[in-house]
Amino acid sequence: ILPFVSVNQILLFLLVLTVCAILYNKVHQVPSALKNETVDLESPEEIEEEIPVVICAAAGRMGATVAAISSIYSNTEADVLFYIVGLKTTIPHIRKWIENSKLKEIKFKVVEFNPMVLKGKIRQDASRPELLQPLNFVRFYLPLLIQKHEKVIYLDDDIIVQGDIQELYDTKLAPGHAAAFSDDCDLPSTHEMVRSVGMQNTYMGFLDYRKQAVRDLGISPSTCSFNPGVIVANMTEWKHQRITKQLEKWMQRNVEENLYSSTLGGGVATPPMLIVFHGKYSTINPMWHIRHLGWSPDTRYSEHFLQEAKLLHWNGRYKPWDYPSVHTDLWENWFIPDPSGKFKLTRPDS
């Protein structure tokens, strides 16, 4: 029996030795494997970053929000997190719409915007009351609504995205710039549209240069304006430069001195941004913001040009869910009917 035990002991010893040798080799290979993995992770192509997209859901316009989200979600493989901003009264409707449609697969957070932050900061103007709606000012308060992201995309609701939102998110912001916008002079194809319907694309169209406070800015009235309906924003810079406080300051000055009004080009939400960001913003690829589709019910872009566009914006009075409007087919491709039946498209035969 003794020799048999000894053999078993020897075999057990050899087995333990073999296991130890294997473990030893594995342990000593780990640093090199980790090193390789770290190199891969640091490569931008390998990082799967969450893309935060902020969009508002306003009463009477929720079909726009749904169509915009639908177009973004359908045209990308990226990990998109939608921040849907609404007022207390509108939030249940948009949540129900999403959860009871094919959009139930999206990642989203509903954020309530408190209009009390605007108290005393908006000058009442009856000519275009829709431009005074509280959600038009959500873009001023991005860092207060979105906490954990370094880089954020803000989009107006009257847009359709035909490209991969990852491309827009990858827009490079120069050091010290808190945001990137589209220059209103950037795309020759839109110049004819601008001339034909009398749109303004300079600061003269947005600010009242008869006012001393505007002249004191030292900004030439012929300076090209930009459109804040599509923004790629750096939250760190935004907070560091106290952009929100600067915007609020100009809102309050307008209440006191009437420096701009909704009878001018961009209502009351664009001028403060034109002032605060003058000379301090990066630019978005022009094809990522083809705008003015809502400016006239008679003026159209060529179909080929629109097919090449990455993002379409119906800024102006003539919205694609109403009538009359242009290029409604491109918008309606992405529209998802309201399960509750409250939101209905306005069409010639309706």
Side-chain angles (χ1 to χ4, degrees):
I1 290 172
L2 281 175
F4 181 74
V5 171
S6 299
V7 168
N8 271 342
Q9 286 178 331
I10 291 167
L11 287 173
L12 185 61
F13 175 75
L14 289 173
L15 183 61
V16 170
L17 201 61
T18 304
V19 170
C20 288
I22 291 168
L23 288 173
Y24 178 85
N25 284 335
K26 281 193 175 292
V27 168
H28 280 263
Q29 283 167 7
V30 166
S32 123
L34 275 180
K35 189 175 178 184
N36 290 337
E37 197 171 302
T38 304
V39 170
D40 288 343
L41 285 172
E42 286 175 351
S43 168
E45 291 77 19
E46 297 297 323
I47 296 175
E48 288 227 357
E49 195 170 353
E50 195 172 61
I51 298 178
V53 174
V54 179
I55 191 162
C56 294
R61 298 171 62 111
M62 288 192 198
T65 309
V66 166
I69 290 172
S70 170
S71 70
I72 295 164
Y73 181 66
S74 302
N75 286 309
T76 187
E77 296 293 323
D79 181 18
V80 181
L81 173 59
F82 293 96
Y83 284 87
I84 302 170
V85 186
L87 303 180
K88 191 172 187 177
T89 52
T90 61
I91 282 173
H93 186 187
I94 193 69
R95 187 186 289 281
K96 185 177 178 184
W97 197 332
I98 289 169
E99 290 175 351
N100 290 280
S101 73
K102 64 183 182 183
L103 289 181
K104 61 179 178 286
E105 304 296 329
I106 70 169
K107 284 170 63 177
F108 74 101
K109 292 183 179 179
V110 174
V111 181
E112 182 182 339
F113 183 68
N114 184 353
M116 289 307 294
V117 300
L118 301 172
K119 191 174 181 181
K121 301 183 183 78
I122 302 176
R123 185 184 186 88
Q124 294 306 309
D125 192 322
S127 61
R128 287 193 67 187
E130 74 275 14
L131 296 175
L132 303 178
Q133 295 302 318
L135 295 180
N136 283 339
F137 301 91
V138 161
R139 71 198 94 188
F140 289 18
Y141 296 94
L142 292 176
L144 303 181
L145 298 166
I146 313 301
Q147 302 293 336
K148 66 172 187 172
H149 301 282
E150 167 73 9
K151 197 176 190 183
V152 170
I153 293 173
Y154 166 87
L155 299 174
D156 277 354
D157 59 1
D158 51 354
I159 63 99
I160 288 295
V161 171
Q162 301 186 136
D164 186 342
I165 198 74
Q166 181 76 53
E167 287 181 35
L168 181 60
Y169 185 74
D170 289 341
T171 299
K172 296 280 187 264
L173 273 67
H177 284 177
F181 306 98
S182 294
D183 273 324
D184 281 331
C185 311
D186 61 6
L187 202 61
S189 311
T190 65
H191 294 173
E192 187 179 336
M193 171 82 86
V194 169
R195 284 193 297 272
S196 67
V197 294
M199 283 179 290
Q200 296 291 337
N201 60 0
T202 65
Y203 274 57
M204 174 66 90
F206 296 89
L207 302 176
D208 187 348
Y209 275 83
R210 294 170 301 179
K211 300 294 169 68
Q212 189 60 44
V214 172
R215 293 199 300 273
D216 287 346
L217 289 167
I219 302 172
S220 166
S222 62
T223 300
C224 185
S225 52
F226 59 80
N227 186 300
V230 176
I231 308 171
V232 181
N234 179 312
M235 294 293 91
T236 303
E237 280 296 336
W238 193 292
K239 288 182 276 196
H240 176 69
Q241 297 179 33
R242 297 169 63 84
I243 297 293
T244 298
K245 287 292 181 193
Q246 291 187 59
L247 292 166
E248 287 184 325
K249 181 190 87 171
W250 284 103
M251 290 168 77
Q252 283 164 331
R253 286 199 70 174
N254 182 57
V255 169
E256 296 157 11
E257 303 173 52
N258 197 20
L259 305 177
Y260 47 84
S261 77
S262 58
T263 55
L264 293 172
V268 292
T270 298
M273 300 200 86
L274 291 178
I275 293 169
V276 170
F277 284 101
H278 173 253
K280 294 185 292 186
Y281 65 92
S282 299
T283 53
I284 290 169
N285 178 334
M287 297 306 285
W288 267 101
H289 195 177
I290 302 303
R291 45 209 179 276
H292 314 317
L293 278 78
W295 208 266
S296 164
D298 306 310
T299 311
R300 301 173 68 92
Y301 285 111
S302 79
E303 292 302 323
H304 174 72
F305 176 67
L306 292 177
Q307 285 168 11
E308 297 294 312
K310 305 283 191 177
L311 182 148
L312 304 175
H313 188 183
W314 278 263
N315 58 313
R317 294 172 185 262
Y318 301 97
K319 303 302 185 186
W321 54 90
D322 281 336
Y323 180 82
S325 55
V326 295
H327 303 298
T328 52
D329 55 323
L330 293 172
W331 181 87
E332 213 167 319
N333 281 342
W334 304 106
F335 175 67
I336 298 169
D338 183 359
S340 73
K342 292 176 189 173
F343 182 94
K344 292 182 174 66
L345 301 182
T346 306
R347 294 294 178 253
D349 52 356
S350 61

